[in-house]
Amino acid sequence: MLWVLPLLLSAVAIGLTWQALLDPSFGIGSAPGLGRLARPLLGSPELALYVVIFVIAWQFVPFHALLYQAGIRQIPATLYEAAALDGAGRKDRFLRITLPQLRYTIVTSSTLMLVGSLTYFDLIFVLSGGTGGPGTATRVLPLAMYITGFQSHDMGAASIIATVLVVTGLVLSLITTRLSGFTRMDSRQEGL
């Protein structure tokens, strides 16, 4: 159950922990054999965004894993048994049974990831020290909205950024839903 722990921690606690772990002076880079990590990963404009993406993925992979686990458990075992009797191999059973049955789970997970990526603020704020830095390497739209509105005191421009975020999230959700056929609600379970 330790792998679900990132879901229970707050983003600020995760940000402060990873900031300490990635510190080039006393973080994990100072451990024997990990000297390659003893550089300012969050201070490098080329690496900072990738480090932030890694930390966010570390936090949310357990949630999406639970979604897929729940989706797989709802697939009737009789479908796999019938396919095995018909001579279908593991690859065929995965492509012809598992993936189609997980269609709604994939759409839900994808929509949550897309919309979540547009609204992610707190962990990036903590990891970058509130600046989106180094430079603007980790400045995403929600952080830019905060900096514009509350540090530069330009609420009009911050409102425009907020509107762009809402419209973009809505459009991406609609496109994902439309392309997946999720609007046609029919049962994917056996016999229904």
Side-chain angles (χ1 to χ4, degrees):
M1 291 315 271
L2 279 178
W3 65 280
V4 189
L5 187 63
L7 290 175
L8 304 176
L9 300 174
S10 72
V12 173
I14 290 172
L16 291 174
T17 302
W18 277 99
Q19 199 173 37
L21 283 172
L22 296 173
D23 186 275
S25 302
F26 65 89
I28 57 176
S30 62
L34 296 176
R36 293 184 65 198
L37 296 175
R39 55 187 184 166
L41 297 174
L42 287 171
S44 167
E46 296 83 26
L47 296 175
L49 184 61
Y50 296 111
V51 171
V52 168
I53 290 170
F54 170 79
V55 174
I56 292 171
W58 177 82
Q59 183 182 11
F60 284 104
V61 161
F63 173 73
H64 293 280
L66 286 174
L67 280 179
Y68 284 103
Q69 184 180 15
I72 286 175
R73 287 186 180 201
Q74 291 182 351
I75 301 173
T78 54
L79 293 176
Y80 292 108
E81 293 168 4
L85 287 174
D86 288 343
R90 293 183 83 176
K91 180 181 172 185
D92 286 332
R93 284 184 291 210
F94 177 76
L95 292 175
R96 296 178 188 260
I97 296 173
T98 306
L99 276 183
Q101 292 290 322
L102 287 178
R103 183 167 124 202
Y104 297 137
T105 304
I106 292 169
V107 170
T108 302
S109 177
S110 300
T111 304
L112 287 172
M113 281 191 275
L114 282 171
V115 173
S117 67
L118 290 174
T119 61
Y120 215 73
F121 168 79
D122 44 5
L123 187 63
I124 298 171
F125 183 84
V126 171
L127 286 173
S128 71
T131 63
T136 58
T138 60
R139 190 171 292 181
V140 293
L141 280 179
L143 186 56
M145 179 182 66
Y146 169 81
I147 290 170
T148 303
F150 294 107
Q151 290 179 359
S152 300
H153 305 291
D154 188 358
M155 292 298 173
S159 297
I160 292 171
I161 295 172
T163 303
V164 167
L165 280 169
V166 169
V167 170
T168 304
L170 181 64
V171 167
L172 286 174
S173 296
L174 290 174
I175 288 172
T176 304
T177 305
R178 194 61 72 140
L179 290 176
S180 67
F182 195 62
T183 55
R184 296 182 304 275
M185 297 296 288
D186 56 334
S187 175
R188 303 293 296 166
Q189 291 199 351
E190 175 184 30
L192 296 177

